[in-house]
Amino acid sequence: MSMNRREFMQLMAAAAAAGLPLGTSRAFAAGSGEALYDPPAFGNVSLLHMTDSHAQLMPIHFREPSNNIGVGAARGQPPHLAGEHLLKFYGIRPGTREAHALTCLDYVEASRRYGKVGGYAHLATLIKRLRASRPGALLLDGGDTWQGSATALWTKGQDMVDAQLELGVDVMTGHWEFTYGAERVMEIINGPFKGKVDFVAQNIRTADFGDAVFPDYSMRHVNGVDVAVIGQAFPYTPIAHPKHFVADWSFGIQADHLQQVIDKVRKVGAAVVVLLSHNGMDCDLKLASQVTGLDAILGGHTHDGIPHPVKVKNPGGQTLVTNAGSNGKFVGVLDFDVQNGKVRDTRYRLLPVFSNLLPADPAMQALITKHRQPYEAKLAEKLAVSEGLLYRRGNFNGSFDQLIVDALMEVKDAEIAFSPGFRWGTTLLPGEAITRERLMDQTAITYPTVTVNEFSGERLKAILEDVGDNLFNPDPYYQQGGDMVRVGGLSYSCTPAAAVGKRITDMRLNDKPIDPGKTYKVAGWASVAEGISGEPVWDVVADYLKAHQSVPAPRLNLPTLIGEQGNPGIA
């Protein structure tokens, strides 16, 4: 498709408004990766950041949310922007590759036009390219790397560990890594990672004496500049997952200790100090306003693709807060110009990873093929065909989650079903086969057991209120970063801005009000309780899919939202 001068100038203006170099805009227009993946080098210290890849070694589709609601001061502010509101905020032209990477708009059509994203063989090519123009660049991995796929689950994360080593990761922190258990984590850190990858977490201590479990930070010497990378693991690991995985460790935000670590590394000569965080972006924004001495927070956990850093003021100056999306879909590039021991200026680019613009790196592709080969037949097993778009991400029921709760209700003969509000999980386009691999992308965890319980109406409301507060509490330190529990059978209304315990109203089953004193049969999975036994959720959903063979687009069971008209977090 040709472009006239007026259209070209409009594209240039949109790129300038978005803070993109003109070469990037040309690359989006022409469909070439040459300019897009050659951002101009700047300064003398470069950090390459990826996070939340969730074990997706191969290129995939991943739909960004149509709702990412912010409440209170967060309403309409990054990261709580969706669809056209995000594009307008950042001055990004609709219909471009960048618009597709960052939003859900015209998702199916745009996916077919621009192709898949991510894939470690393509990431490897990009990382090598960036390092060639940025000598000494450090590659930082924000965690949620070892979990999220069938092969990662079946190899206990070994496929991802090997991929990280091949990619050349320098420093990482963690979250879902801990669901393999403390022993497995330490086996990797003291084994293949030793002397190669620094696993850092200033906020994990032994539960008995408060001793450090991991180093607080990694100090690296880059082009004559001392760079400190402090680690911040997911603060709520023992609450969000079965506690027995990390029974002897304590977590938390630990802001006071973080300040001590910052002061320590500054005192010993660090000119650049960053936090490699798995807090979630809202939590990072608050933390950046409270601690001093951080040049930047490179964040993860909430899977927000944010084109430009948020500048947060604090008593010591300001801190840049970034978040680099998920699923291997983005790489953040943060360049520092450091002179006389001080940061003088910075540049940041969030590069979308379009697989068809980056040739596969042969060594990484060979590694991926080796790990997948023993499981190829199982991964490719066709369970059904999806007639509609299947996706997960969003504050409320995604279509793949709707399929899961529909399956739980039918197979377990339950009136109501719950599924966790996880933010990981790939996307299937209409007409694609639902293979065993794609099902495992939604369910591959170490505590997958399906449960069936009798819950009172009062208990049902308490569950919804509890998860709703985790998502919509105006204080980020009380948010755990997931989305709302997915619900089948039960309808309800939700007022995100309401007070604790008052967000959920008008709960109904078959259009009849839920009786607080009555009990209801409820199916679910991924319980964090101890001693749960039974069949894994992937077997239950596989039985459902095989019985149906062709699955119509699920009818989403979405709550009635109250008070959110015009919220820029809703596309």
Side-chain angles (χ1 to χ4, degrees):
M1 181 180 70
S2 63
M3 182 181 296
N4 63 34
R5 177 175 172 79
R6 182 171 179 271
E7 290 171 328
F8 180 76
M9 293 308 295
Q10 287 175 337
L11 185 56
M12 295 300 100
L20 294 170
L22 295 186
T24 300
S25 183
R26 291 193 189 102
F28 279 121
S32 165
E34 290 303 314
L36 170 60
Y37 297 126
D38 282 324
F42 176 82
N44 50 353
V45 173
S46 295
L47 305 179
L48 312 180
H49 177 227
M50 56 184 294
T51 190
D52 296 89
S53 66
H54 284 286
Q56 294 303 322
L57 285 174
M58 300 291 287
I60 49 93
H61 292 295
F62 184 82
R63 179 187 184 271
E64 297 297 329
S66 53
N67 43 63
N68 190 7
I69 297 170
V71 296
R75 180 185 172 109
Q77 298 299 311
H80 299 287
L81 298 162
E84 64 276 10
H85 304 293
L86 184 147
L87 299 185
K88 183 178 179 181
F89 185 91
Y90 289 110
I92 298 168
R93 183 181 174 184
T96 60
R97 282 186 181 274
E98 189 183 21
H100 174 54
L102 292 166
T103 74
C104 62
L105 299 176
D106 301 316
Y107 185 78
V108 173
E109 179 186 349
S111 292
R112 289 176 172 152
R113 182 187 313 136
Y114 295 125
K116 293 184 177 181
V117 295
Y120 268 60
H122 307 276
L123 275 166
T125 297
L126 176 57
I127 296 301
K128 287 179 179 178
R129 191 164 179 167
L130 292 168
R131 278 179 156 156
S133 64
R134 290 163 167 77
L138 300 177
L139 178 57
L140 312 182
D141 186 328
D144 278 6
T145 305
W146 305 349
Q147 175 277 336
S149 73
T151 55
L153 181 68
W154 297 336
T155 65
K156 296 183 179 178
Q158 191 62 49
D159 61 338
M160 298 310 303
V161 169
D162 291 348
Q164 286 179 294
L165 292 170
E166 179 66 31
L167 199 60
V169 171
D170 292 294
V171 187
M172 78 171 293
T173 193
H175 168 205
W176 274 92
E177 285 73 14
F178 303 124
T179 63
Y180 289 111
E183 183 178 350
R184 175 59 175 154
V185 171
M186 300 311 292
E187 178 183 38
I188 292 168
I189 291 171
N190 295 324
F193 271 14
K194 193 166 186 177
K196 297 177 181 178
V197 181
D198 291 341
F199 193 105
V200 293
Q202 71 86 23
N203 60 326
I204 302 180
R205 291 287 186 266
T206 59
D208 49 8
F209 299 113
D211 297 328
V213 176
F214 306 102
D216 293 329
Y217 64 92
S218 174
M219 185 75 84
R220 298 298 181 102
H221 199 62
V222 180
N223 299 325
V225 177
D226 284 333
V227 179
V229 181
I230 303 171
Q232 179 81 0
F234 180 52
Y236 304 111
T237 298
I239 301 170
H241 308 284
K243 185 177 174 59
H244 69 84
F245 290 139
V246 288
D248 297 329
W249 299 348
S250 68
F251 289 71
I253 295 170
Q254 308 295 346
D256 290 343
H257 183 258
L258 172 60
Q259 186 65 67
Q260 293 172 17
V261 176
I262 296 168
D263 295 343
K264 175 182 176 181
V265 297
R266 288 290 187 189
K267 188 174 182 179
V268 297
V272 176
V273 181
V274 301
L275 184 70
L276 180 60
S277 170
H278 207 93
N279 281 334
M281 190 161 182
D282 286 314
C283 187
D284 282 336
L285 290 168
K286 179 175 179 177
L287 187 63
S289 73
Q290 294 182 330
V291 299
T292 62
L294 282 177
D295 294 300
I297 297 179
L298 300 165
H301 181 57
T302 40
H303 295 195
D304 301 305
I306 302 300
H308 301 294
V310 178
K311 297 178 180 178
V312 180
K313 293 182 179 180
N314 54 57
Q318 75 172 21
T319 299
L320 304 179
V321 177
T322 75
N323 202 293
S326 67
N327 286 271
K329 190 175 176 180
F330 298 99
V331 173
V333 182
L334 180 57
D335 297 323
F336 293 93
D337 179 26
V338 183
Q339 302 295 332
N340 300 318
K342 293 185 180 298
V343 174
R344 298 300 182 187
D345 202 357
T346 60
R347 296 286 186 275
Y348 182 78
R349 298 287 185 273
L350 183 70
L351 301 181
V353 181
F354 287 101
S355 310
N356 58 10
L357 298 184
L358 292 160
D361 177 76
M364 183 66 82
Q365 190 60 61
L367 176 68
I368 294 169
T369 300
K370 182 189 79 170
H371 275 291
R372 289 175 60 85
Q373 193 277 329
Y375 308 106
E376 281 291 358
K378 193 173 181 180
L379 293 169
E381 179 189 359
K382 182 179 175 181
L383 304 174
V385 172
S386 174
E387 297 176 19
L389 177 68
L390 292 181
Y391 63 91
R392 167 167 282 165
R393 182 72 177 88
N395 287 153
F396 304 101
N397 283 31
S399 52
F400 214 126
D401 285 310
Q402 190 66 53
L403 186 155
I404 291 172
V405 293
D406 289 349
L408 289 171
M409 289 189 293
E410 180 175 309
V411 175
K412 294 301 180 182
D413 191 28
E415 299 169 279
I416 297 167
F418 288 149
S419 187
F422 296 142
R423 294 191 172 190
W424 46 269
T426 58
T427 298
L428 274 78
L429 301 184
E432 290 190 335
I434 307 174
T435 61
R436 175 76 61 173
E437 180 171 23
R438 296 286 81 90
L439 173 58
M440 293 301 290
D441 286 348
Q442 312 291 326
T443 58
I445 66 173
T446 54
Y447 51 106
T449 305
V450 171
T451 57
V452 178
N453 294 289
E454 297 285 337
F455 286 153
S456 68
E458 182 180 25
R459 174 65 176 148
L460 292 173
K461 185 176 190 299
I463 291 170
L464 294 178
E465 290 283 8
D466 183 59
V467 181
D469 189 57
N470 163 59
L471 180 60
F472 297 122
N473 193 301
D475 185 343
Y477 284 2
Y478 290 93
Q479 300 171 8
Q480 291 179 20
D483 282 313
M484 188 65 180
V485 62
R486 281 46 175 137
V487 182
L490 170 71
S491 66
Y492 66 99
S493 295
C494 178
T495 309
V500 177
K502 299 183 182 300
R503 294 185 178 93
I504 307 302
T505 54
D506 196 27
M507 296 168 53
R508 293 175 176 269
L509 181 64
N510 299 323
D511 208 32
K512 295 181 179 178
I514 292 290
D515 183 343
K518 183 181 175 181
T519 58
Y520 300 87
K521 187 176 181 181
V522 182
W525 66 287
S527 172
V528 299
E530 300 288 332
I532 301 293
S533 61
E535 58 190 325
V537 66
W538 49 77
D539 283 351
V540 173
V541 179
D543 289 345
Y544 172 86
L545 292 171
K546 289 175 182 177
H548 288 265
Q549 296 188 344
S550 184
V551 181
R555 183 174 175 271
L556 298 185
N557 179 36
L558 299 172
T560 299
L561 286 178
I562 299 173
E564 296 303 328
Q565 295 82 359
N567 191 311
I570 302 174

